[in-house]
Amino acid sequence: MTESLRPSGEYENPFQGQQQHASAPVNPEWPPPPAYEPPTPAPAPVPAPKKRARGPLALLAAVAIVAAAIGGGTAYGVQELTGSGTVASSSTSTSVVPTSQKGTVSGVATAVSPSIVEISATSNAGESTGSGVIITSDGEIITNNHVISGDSEIKVTTSDGKSYTAEVVGTDSKKDLALIKLQDASGLKAASLGNSDAVKVGDEVVAIGSPEGLTGTVTSGIVSALDRDVTVSTDESQGQQQQQGGGGQWPFEFGGQQFNGDTGSSTTTYKAIQTDASLNPGNSGGALIDMNGNIIGVNSAMYSASDATSSSSAGSVGLGFAIPINTVKSDLSTLRAGGSD
């Protein structure tokens, strides 16, 4: 019966099959007719995926370029582009430590040690040893005023053993800072100066200096306090007395008590970063560094027992103080102009 209906239907109404195909999509249970399958992949959607594919790739490429511009190479780039006379400055988020060694004391030491020097100063009162931080590739060095105060001859030794003669550019005894300049120096590795305002209590730090003339000594610890009022002498004779005594310690006052000798009648007070990183005589003027390799302070004072009158009986007890690097940066123009003293 089915076979007789089909031929008669097709013969009596030749368009009946086409009508069935046209109405087929109305019933969602019916599959799409084969006659309409070829036009389904319309040409219009083809370029659309290509556009969507290009968009994210271009965005990712742009993001990668920006990330590279603001990443770990920033400090180096600033120094190279701005010239040898300009200080490389960065936030504490900028890392000058290789990625493979980031967050390690050894990584910080490797990256920053070439920027730390030993300073040997000679005066009529004797000799003293301190440390300093290279801030420009042509030999500008920041140190403590009490390291070079009243000295007639200053010798500087870099981490690679080279020796230079240095001249005083400017001093600021009120902040216990001094700027010296190496003669005939070039191509030195300048340190990256960080942002001491971003430092928090508990942050890990590294100290590099030349305690007792032991060049390039590295110690580590944490920031144990901030904004400590430390009082130091501004009298040149006090520094000479300390040098002559051989202890190499700088007298300072904290909490109403005097340490490492008498500060005298002429003093100044500054806000200091306190650290438990080991500091000893000779660390003065050296660097306190964050774990990204940025200088956050200039080591300036250490506590020692009240009866420690010589270097043999003096030693670190985990109470050291550093001048915040933002204080240094704000004073650079004054020091370069000859200082305020």
Side-chain angles (χ1 to χ4, degrees), residues 147-234:
V147 171
I148 53 88
S149 178
D151 293 306
S152 57
E153 184 180 11
I154 301 173
K155 294 290 185 181
V156 172
T157 304
T158 56
S159 64
D160 58 3
K162 292 182 180 179
S163 182
Y164 297 86
T165 299
E167 295 180 345
V168 176
V169 176
T171 61
D172 188 347
S173 61
K174 297 187 186 312
K175 296 179 181 177
D176 194 19
L177 292 172
L179 182 69
I180 62 176
K181 178 76 184 302
L182 303 185
Q183 296 180 357
D184 302 322
S186 62
L188 302 178
K189 183 176 181 179
S192 172
L193 307 187
N195 176 17
S196 53
D197 288 343
V199 174
K200 301 183 294 297
V201 173
D203 283 352
E204 294 181 90
V205 290
V206 174
I208 304 179
S210 299
E212 304 292 358
L214 300 174
T215 306
T217 296
V218 177
T219 59
S220 65
I222 64 167
V223 172
S224 50
L226 296 171
D227 299 325
R228 292 298 200 197
D229 288 321
V230 174
T231 301
V232 298
S233 174
T234 59

Side-chain angles (χ1 to χ4, degrees), residues 120-148:
S120 299
T122 304
S123 69
N124 294 331
E127 296 183 359
S128 64
T129 300
S131 307
V133 180
I134 300 172
I135 60 172
T136 63
S137 61
D138 61 349
E140 280 190 342
I141 294 173
I142 197 76
T143 187
N144 289 138
N145 178 61
H146 73 258
V147 171
I148 53 88

